[in-house]
Amino acid sequence: MTTPDLSRRGAVFSLAAALAAPIGSARGATPPPTQHGKSEPDTSHPEPADRPGASTKPAPKTAADDLYRPWLHFTPATGFMNDPNGMVFDGTHYHLYYQFDPFAPYAGRVHWGHAISTDMLHWQDQPIAIPQTPAGEAFSGSAVIDAKNTCGLFTTPLTPAPQTPPSQTPPAQPQAAPIPTPGANLVAIYTRASARNQSQYLAWSTDNGRTFTEYHTPVLDIGSNSFRDPKVFFHTPTGRWIMVLAKSREHKVGIYGSIDLIHWMMLSDFGPTGLLGVDYECPNLIEVPFDEGGTRWVMFVSVNPGAPQGGSITQYFVGDFNGTEFIAHETTIGLTDFAKDNYALQCFDNMPNDEAVGIAWLSNWQYCEELPNKAWRGVMTLPRTLSLTRDHGGWIRLVQMPRGIETLRDRQIAKPLTHLDAGTSQQTPLPAGVPVELNLHITMDERPQGLEPGDKGRAGRFIIVFANENGETLSIGFDAFSSQIWLDRSDLHGFTQPFFTGQFSTALQPDKRDVTFRLVLDACTLELFVDGGTSVGTALVFPSAPLTELRLEASGAGATIHGLEVHTLKKAMDRPGIPA
Amino acid sequence: MTTPDLSRRGAVFSLAAALAAPIGSARGATPPPTQHGKSEPDTSHPEPADRPGASTKPAPKTAADDLYRPWLHFTPATGFMNDPNGMVFDGTHYHLYYQFDPFAPYAGRVHWGHAISTDMLHWQDQPIAIPQTPAGEAFSGSAVIDAKNTCGLFTTPLTPAPQTPPSQTPPAQPQAAPIPTPGANLVAIYTRASARNQSQYLAWSTDNGRTFTEYHTPVLDIGSNSFRDPKVFFHTPTGRWIMVLAKSREHKVGIYGSIDLIHWMMLSDFGPTGLLGVDYECPNLIEVPFDEGGTRWVMFVSVNPGAPQGGSITQYFVGDFNGTEFIAHETTIGLTDFAKDNYALQCFDNMPNDEAVGIAWLSNWQYCEELPNKAWRGVMTLPRTLSLTRDHGGWIRLVQMPRGIETLRDRQIAKPLTHLDAGTSQQTPLPAGVPVELNLHITMDERPQGLEPGDKGRAGRFIIVFANENGETLSIGFDAFSSQIWLDRSDLHGFTQPFFTGQFSTALQPDKRDVTFRLVLDACTLELFVDGGTSVGTALVFPSAPLTELRLEASGAGATIHGLEVHTLKKAMDRPGIPA
């Protein structure tokens, strides 16, 4: 390894330069967007003049954009968002960067958007952090706090990064909130992607992640156009930085080491293993607490397309990391979700107490560019605390639970309920458009004697139904006598598309009749955590009107209700379409 | 190993004994069936008097039973059928045994049904071959031809097995077709299942598989209630019989060896690996031709419930078998299907030229007991020739193609078509209820310039639609610019159930715009073979009325039609509901 050449360390980004960058996407054949629709031009947002031929304003807002806008889940004010990036805690704020085009309703021209938060729920928008440049789009990557300045780039303070003139602020991007200075030594590592090459770049920030200066050359380039999404962390036992990234078409995760974040040495490959699909993307390697004590290393690998459920999926492997190699304990694989809108999971770096917390993109490449909302597209999952537990079969499995949403609870609206007889239901009205959290623990009664198995409605099922005035329903059900659950969004009529699968299901521990549900329903999102987060279903949902009734139904057998809470949740985000 | 005690070799089965056997199912908590419905008693079938308390006639036939009855696919005349069993070629006939209750519309009281064929398409029913006994139900297993009488059981001819009196013949089971004698030395190995134990039994047949004598004790019993579905074959290099069977809850495939089919020695375990679900079932280990030369061993493992698509699925691993251990080449896994109605694949033993041919159960445990047809339930896939090829990523993948259906072609009904412009379609009427085979090869035109990506109808899709007079559609589509295909049965309204997933999809080789489809639509079955059988979708389909129109549509871009053939297919099966 050699000392980095600090004489020509890099270029400070300006948004003007970003917006003047050449267009075109390496991720699929994305032609230049043109003007959308034929409605009146929206003149409320300034339109940079230096981006010839490209649309520089969001698609006109429609009713769908408001109807489907979550109140808690992070969404971009305008434009298209996909993978979470650069997730790091700087000592004061959590940073969420993300794949972003502020104008288009489609993927392409990828910049790094940016938001900060002190609780991972209330996010404050920041200016675009890393733009597309002539070297390529700014594809996914990660961020670390280089407290010891191992990269050497923080020793000679740069001239402060130029602030973006207001006239070139992307539309609906609020002014940045003040970030305390002096900043943590925040370093981003990400992929510059052109049609021919994907190489890893580094940029550092002296203002706590608000603006970045890019190192003048790639820090890792193997001449591949299928080599992306670096996730970096510091491995204390070996005293070096570790990068995992996808050799996408080879279905391998490359593992590299570095002492300075700039010079990287190949250590090993993980894979191919498990479900391959077409591309591996967005690997994450993280130490996750195990409820039997200690931790285990978990390798997350996103796959797209080609998931068994269709399109995009994230699989994981539990094992050990010795500083050089990741060794999976078994050749079994887990999936982070039994539905299909949970992709590109990334975990926060530099977390206090080594808490494992991740956020994923709540969508699927099969339909993310065709959703009914168009002025904004893309939503993140809630932050989720990750842990490990042993399942009924003895396998170590991922546990995911939403983090911190108790702080958003407003009114408890559930009616008392201790038992539902077979064939009965209980209705509770829901305030239109307001997010709700449901917590429920039930035990189905024993199977009635003399019933034949199987036929519809006689099988012993507990069903949670969200319904609206148009007769549409979203159902989550427990089939007690096969110990399976389902999530059925097929009776919502706000969006249909051949890849937008209606039904999902998974198997719980066999031969048990009790189950716990925790779910958050927030506009176009449903996050379902079953049996303490050991089974998770994450789904986009598009009712044609708000879901204003909660119905609990017992079918085929009765059910004892051990606990039932339904809370409305307060908004966490300020966004167009969310009441003030 | 010791010589078997031939002095008390076993008991010859009679159907009278079978029908008098205790009832109750070890596979799930299946209570005794009672009389179905309130319609007039059906007195057309004799009802054995010796089965107290149990329903001994099929459910009354309804219109659905006729509407959904396939003409080609094997179905039971009445009753409930699941896994294929005992598949073997005896030199003249192919034998298909199957998990069967001739009376109930639900699983339970499992016998081995039996049919024979000379082409795997035209099947002749045989009497029940192996009944439930006090030792347990007759769960899944396999059959081999013990030509050298390694078991020693064929040396002392038994008294001919008693013929079943006509009055005790199961309803609608035609008289057995004559089978040539002397018979091949056919041996069945299967699981006797009670609530507490699953052990492996052997039975031999001196009349070519028509009747069996059961060996007096289990041939393999480890005291487990989760140990089943033995598949046996002769391994020539080591000169011994090999049995693979499921240690279901341990997610292992046990591999055992024997020189006489009676005494078995544990050789190794395969697994746990891949997707675990709740139970492993129905393993199959077979040498499959590889199109680059030679063969590879493939281990098929069925999993239920807990498939990513929900419920039941079959995964496979490509590797080597050295006579003792199966070693997968990689830790990658494949799924036999991208839909979810393809379970418990079994391959024929003793095939000429070592052809690899399999048949699977065309259903899913999530809904097989709730389907709209009730007087008969359960359908097998068409026989499929299996081979291996390397996919675009270099991975060795299973190829499945239907076997021999060309012989059933009747009329070619496709209209000439060489190109479909974007936004246009071609309609062809289909004869109601008659099975059709479609063969199609297309190339989508290049993406039109200036189109934005993504939005519905602009993405470049070729769609095969089957429609009916009620406006229902079954669609199979190719999204050319993401190289994915879908199968969408959600617009058919003959059956809905929360686990009956509507949409399935998979990814083809990326960045190619041409695709081949071969499909057979036969009443409630759709079998789809894409790109030469490298991607296969198998789905139950329940339109409320026959699909009487074929529509080919090009959307977003035009398509060149290189080849289009649509044949009606002649019936292969005589069954209630199929015209004479």
Side-chain angles (χ1 to χ4, degrees):
Chain A
M1 301 199 182
T2 58
T3 306
D5 174 6
L6 297 180
S7 65
R8 45 188 288 272
R9 290 183 304 176
V12 177
F13 297 132
S14 79
L15 193 60
L19 295 173
I23 53 176
S25 167
R27 192 175 291 222
T30 307
T34 55
Q35 290 300 108
H36 311 301
K38 296 192 175 182
S39 54
E40 280 299 292
D42 177 350
T43 55
S44 62
H45 302 301
E47 182 170 334
D50 55 359
R51 198 180 192 185
S55 172
T56 48
K57 61 184 182 186
K61 192 158 78 77
T62 67
D65 294 306
D66 290 348
L67 176 62
Y68 298 123
R69 173 78 81 173
W71 293 23
L72 315 181
H73 290 72
F74 184 81
T75 57
T78 65
F80 186 93
M81 176 182 82
N82 49 293
D83 308 351
N85 295 148
M87 292 165 59
V88 66
F89 180 61
D90 69 11
T92 307
H93 286 92
Y94 301 100
H95 292 262
L96 172 64
Y97 300 89
Y98 49 90
Q99 297 284 284
F100 186 44
D101 183 331
F103 304 114
Y106 313 114
R109 299 182 304 188
V110 181
H111 305 60
W112 272 34
H114 185 204
I116 61 170
S117 173
T118 55
D119 65 359
M120 304 185 193
L121 293 167
H122 298 82
W123 292 100
Q124 296 174 290
D125 291 308
Q126 301 294 317
I128 285 177
I130 302 178
Q132 184 183 35
T133 68
E137 297 177 88
F139 268 21
S140 283
S142 53
V144 295
I145 304 299
D146 183 13
K148 295 182 179 170
N149 189 23
T150 63
C151 66
L153 297 166
F154 293 98
T155 47
T156 310
L158 288 174
T159 309
Q163 295 301 302
T164 305
S167 70
Q168 291 176 343
T169 301
Q173 291 275 316
Q175 287 304 298
I179 306 186
T181 53
N185 289 351
L186 201 150
V187 177
I189 304 96
Y190 49 95
T191 304
R192 283 274 175 216
S194 67
R196 295 190 183 170
N197 188 261
Q198 296 186 344
S199 52
Q200 319 320 313
Y201 278 71
L202 175 153
W204 71 100
S205 172
T206 56
D207 59 0
N208 268 22
R210 181 184 162 87
T211 62
F212 285 87
T213 305
E214 186 170 84
Y215 192 68
H216 58 90
T217 54
V219 296
L220 183 57
D221 182 357
I222 61 171
S224 167
N225 68 351
S226 172
F227 186 57
R228 59 182 178 264
D229 308 339
K231 173 70 165 124
V232 176
F233 61 94
F234 191 76
H235 187 248
T236 304
T238 54
R240 59 186 172 186
W241 300 100
I242 298 294
M243 178 197 294
V244 293
L245 77 176
K247 297 178 174 176
S248 299
R249 284 283 153 94
E250 294 180 61
H251 304 106
K252 292 178 182 171
V253 177
I255 304 180
Y256 290 76
S258 174
I259 56 168
D260 63 1
L261 292 168
I262 294 170
H263 302 87
W264 292 92
M265 182 173 65
M266 184 176 165
L267 299 175
S268 65
D269 279 334
F270 172 70
T273 191
L275 297 165
L276 301 186
V278 171
D279 279 338
Y280 271 12
E281 294 196 322
C282 300
N284 246 244
L285 179 59
I286 183 171
E287 220 170 340
V288 176
F290 181 31
D291 66 2
E292 294 182 8
T295 60
R296 295 290 185 277
W297 287 88
V298 181
M299 177 73 87
F300 296 94
V301 181
S302 289
V303 175
N304 179 70
Q309 297 99 315
S312 318
I313 206 167
T314 304
Q315 58 186 338
Y316 68 89
F317 306 87
V318 180
D320 292 317
F321 179 63
N322 59 14
T324 300
E325 285 180 294
F326 173 76
I327 313 284
H329 283 163
E330 289 106 15
T331 56
T332 63
I333 64 167
L335 302 176
T336 61
D337 216 275
F338 71 84
K340 61 189 271 192
D341 297 328
N342 182 350
Y343 191 66
L345 174 74
Q346 186 168 115
C347 295
F348 283 99
D349 196 59
N350 197 42
M351 284 293 287
N353 306 314
D354 294 330
E355 191 186 359
V357 182
I359 290 178
W361 182 48
L362 205 162
S363 195
N364 190 306
W365 281 109
Q366 285 188 322
Y367 38 75
C368 61
E369 297 178 296
E370 300 179 41
L371 300 177
N373 51 312
K374 195 164 178 177
W376 64 273
R377 275 180 176 159
V379 51
M380 296 301 180
T381 65
L382 294 170
R384 296 180 181 177
T385 302
L386 308 182
S387 62
L388 297 168
T389 194
R390 221 175 270 278
D391 74 6
H392 54 89
W395 306 108
I396 301 177
R397 291 299 188 195
L398 186 69
V399 177
Q400 305 171 69
M401 285 298 267
R403 183 181 188 278
I405 58 168
E406 302 79 5
T407 62
L408 299 176
R409 286 176 184 164
D410 193 3
R411 290 185 299 127
Q412 221 281 62
I413 58 174
K415 300 176 191 169
L417 186 63
T418 57
H419 190 269
L420 265 184
D421 294 336
T424 69
S425 66
Q426 186 211 54
Q427 286 79 34
T428 304
L430 301 176
V434 177
V436 293
E437 176 196 359
L438 176 144
N439 282 277
L440 175 64
H441 179 197
I442 65 146
T443 299
M444 288 302 278
D445 296 345
E446 290 201 39
R447 187 187 197 90
Q449 290 300 311
L451 275 191
E452 290 201 30
D455 270 326
K456 191 167 185 173
R458 305 183 66 180
R461 291 173 179 162
F462 192 93
I463 314 175
I464 303 164
V465 181
F466 293 95
N468 68 11
E469 62 194 18
N470 297 340
E472 297 164 42
T473 57
L474 167 65
S475 78
I476 296 105
F478 172 52
D479 185 285
F481 300 116
S482 72
S483 299
Q484 295 181 79
I485 50 168
W486 77 78
L487 191 171
D488 185 351
R489 65 183 176 185
S490 68
D491 276 331
L492 302 177
H493 302 146
F495 178 56
T496 58
Q497 195 251 24
F499 294 109
F500 193 66
T501 312
Q503 294 88 0
F504 308 98
S505 60
T506 194
L508 306 180
Q509 178 182 335
D511 308 321
K512 79 178 182 65
R513 287 178 288 108
D514 84 296
V515 61
T516 68
F517 294 100
R518 183 174 189 184
L519 69 81
V520 176
L521 177 66
D522 179 19
C524 70
T525 69
L526 174 69
E527 298 194 46
L528 172 64
F529 306 87
V530 182
D531 282 350
T534 51
S535 290
V536 174
T538 310
L540 288 169
V541 292
F542 294 102
S544 66
L547 297 163
T548 50
E549 182 182 271
L550 167 66
R551 206 160 64 224
L552 304 179
E553 303 178 354
S555 158
T560 297
I561 317 296
H562 306 294
L564 170 63
E565 290 187 9
V566 182
H567 285 94
T568 59
L569 297 173
K570 289 176 281 194
K571 72 169 182 170
M573 295 295 301
D574 279 310
R575 286 286 181 247
I578 303 178
Chain B
M1 301 201 181
T2 58
T3 305
D5 173 8
L6 297 180
S7 65
R8 44 187 290 271
R9 291 184 303 177
V12 177
F13 297 131
S14 79
L15 192 60
L19 293 174
I23 53 176
S25 168
R27 191 176 291 224
T30 308
T34 55
Q35 291 299 108
H36 310 302
K38 297 192 174 182
S39 54
E40 282 298 295
D42 177 351
T43 55
S44 62
H45 303 301
E47 183 172 335
D50 54 358
R51 198 180 194 184
S55 172
T56 49
K57 60 185 183 186
K61 192 158 79 80
T62 67
D65 294 306
D66 290 348
L67 176 61
Y68 299 125
R69 174 78 82 173
W71 293 23
L72 315 181
H73 290 72
F74 184 81
T75 57
T78 65
F80 186 92
M81 175 182 82
N82 50 292
D83 309 350
N85 295 149
M87 291 164 60
V88 65
F89 180 62
D90 69 10
T92 307
H93 287 93
Y94 300 100
H95 292 262
L96 172 63
Y97 300 90
Y98 49 90
Q99 296 285 283
F100 185 45
D101 182 332
F103 303 114
Y106 313 114
R109 301 183 303 189
V110 181
H111 305 60
W112 273 33
H114 184 204
I116 60 171
S117 173
T118 54
D119 65 359
M120 304 185 193
L121 294 168
H122 297 80
W123 292 100
Q124 295 174 291
D125 292 307
Q126 302 293 318
I128 285 177
I130 302 178
Q132 185 183 32
T133 68
E137 298 176 88
F139 269 20
S140 284
S142 53
V144 294
I145 303 300
D146 183 13
K148 294 181 181 169
N149 189 22
T150 63
C151 66
L153 297 166
F154 293 99
T155 47
T156 311
L158 289 174
T159 309
Q163 294 301 301
T164 305
S167 70
Q168 290 176 342
T169 301
Q173 291 275 317
Q175 289 303 300
I179 306 187
T181 53
N185 289 353
L186 200 151
V187 176
I189 304 97
Y190 50 95
T191 303
R192 283 274 176 215
S194 67
R196 294 188 183 172
N197 188 261
Q198 297 186 345
S199 53
Q200 317 322 312
Y201 278 71
L202 174 152
W204 71 100
S205 173
T206 56
D207 59 0
N208 268 23
R210 180 183 163 88
T211 62
F212 284 87
T213 305
E214 187 171 81
Y215 191 67
H216 59 92
T217 55
V219 296
L220 183 59
D221 181 358
I222 61 171
S224 167
N225 68 351
S226 173
F227 186 57
R228 60 182 178 267
D229 308 339
K231 173 69 165 120
V232 175
F233 61 93
F234 192 77
H235 186 249
T236 304
T238 56
R240 60 186 173 187
W241 299 99
I242 298 294
M243 178 198 294
V244 293
L245 79 175
K247 298 178 174 177
S248 300
R249 283 284 154 93
E250 294 179 61
H251 305 107
K252 292 178 182 172
V253 177
I255 303 180
Y256 289 76
S258 173
I259 55 168
D260 63 2
L261 292 168
I262 294 171
H263 301 86
W264 292 92
M265 180 173 67
M266 185 176 162
L267 300 175
S268 65
D269 278 336
F270 172 70
T273 191
L275 297 165
L276 301 186
V278 170
D279 280 337
Y280 272 12
E281 293 195 323
C282 300
N284 246 246
L285 179 58
I286 183 171
E287 219 170 340
V288 176
F290 182 30
D291 67 1
E292 294 181 7
T295 61
R296 295 289 184 278
W297 288 87
V298 180
M299 178 73 88
F300 296 93
V301 181
S302 288
V303 175
N304 179 69
Q309 297 99 314
S312 319
I313 205 166
T314 304
Q315 58 186 338
Y316 68 89
F317 306 87
V318 180
D320 291 316
F321 178 64
N322 60 13
T324 300
E325 286 179 294
F326 173 76
I327 313 285
H329 283 163
E330 289 106 15
T331 56
T332 62
I333 62 166
L335 302 176
T336 61
D337 217 274
F338 71 85
K340 62 189 268 193
D341 298 327
N342 182 349
Y343 192 65
L345 173 75
Q346 186 168 116
C347 296
F348 283 98
D349 196 59
N350 197 42
M351 284 292 288
N353 306 313
D354 295 328
E355 192 186 358
V357 182
I359 289 178
W361 182 47
L362 205 162
S363 195
N364 190 306
W365 282 109
Q366 286 188 322
Y367 38 75
C368 61
E369 298 178 296
E370 301 180 38
L371 299 178
N373 51 310
K374 197 164 177 178
W376 64 272
R377 276 180 175 158
V379 50
M380 298 299 180
T381 65
L382 295 171
R384 296 180 181 178
T385 302
L386 308 182
S387 61
L388 297 167
T389 193
R390 221 175 270 280
D391 74 5
H392 54 88
W395 307 106
I396 301 178
R397 291 300 188 196
L398 186 69
V399 178
Q400 304 171 69
M401 286 298 268
R403 183 183 188 276
I405 59 168
E406 302 79 4
T407 62
L408 300 176
R409 286 177 184 163
D410 191 2
R411 288 185 301 125
Q412 221 281 60
I413 58 174
K415 300 176 191 170
L417 186 64
T418 57
H419 191 268
L420 265 184
D421 294 336
T424 68
S425 66
Q426 186 212 54
Q427 285 80 34
T428 305
L430 300 176
V434 176
V436 291
E437 175 195 0
L438 176 144
N439 282 278
L440 175 64
H441 179 197
I442 64 146
T443 299
M444 288 299 278
D445 296 346
E446 290 202 36
R447 188 186 194 91
Q449 290 300 310
L451 276 191
E452 289 200 33
D455 270 325
K456 193 168 183 171
R458 306 184 65 178
R461 290 173 180 161
F462 192 94
I463 315 175
I464 302 165
V465 181
F466 293 94
N468 69 10
E469 61 194 18
N470 298 340
E472 297 164 43
T473 57
L474 167 66
S475 78
I476 296 106
F478 173 52
D479 186 285
F481 301 117
S482 73
S483 300
Q484 294 180 81
I485 50 168
W486 77 77
L487 190 170
D488 186 350
R489 64 183 176 184
S490 68
D491 275 332
L492 303 176
H493 302 145
F495 178 56
T496 59
Q497 196 252 24
F499 295 110
F500 193 64
T501 312
Q503 295 87 0
F504 308 98
S505 60
T506 195
L508 306 180
Q509 176 182 335
D511 308 320
K512 79 178 181 65
R513 288 179 287 107
D514 84 296
V515 61
T516 68
F517 293 100
R518 184 175 188 183
L519 69 82
V520 175
L521 177 67
D522 178 20
C524 70
T525 69
L526 175 69
E527 298 194 45
L528 171 64
F529 306 87
V530 182
D531 282 349
T534 51
S535 290
V536 174
T538 309
L540 288 168
V541 292
F542 294 102
S544 67
L547 297 163
T548 49
E549 182 181 273
L550 167 66
R551 209 159 62 225
L552 304 178
E553 303 177 356
S555 157
T560 297
I561 317 297
H562 306 294
L564 169 63
E565 289 188 11
V566 182
H567 285 94
T568 59
L569 298 174
K570 290 175 280 193
K571 72 170 180 169
M573 295 295 300
D574 278 311
R575 284 287 181 249
I578 302 179

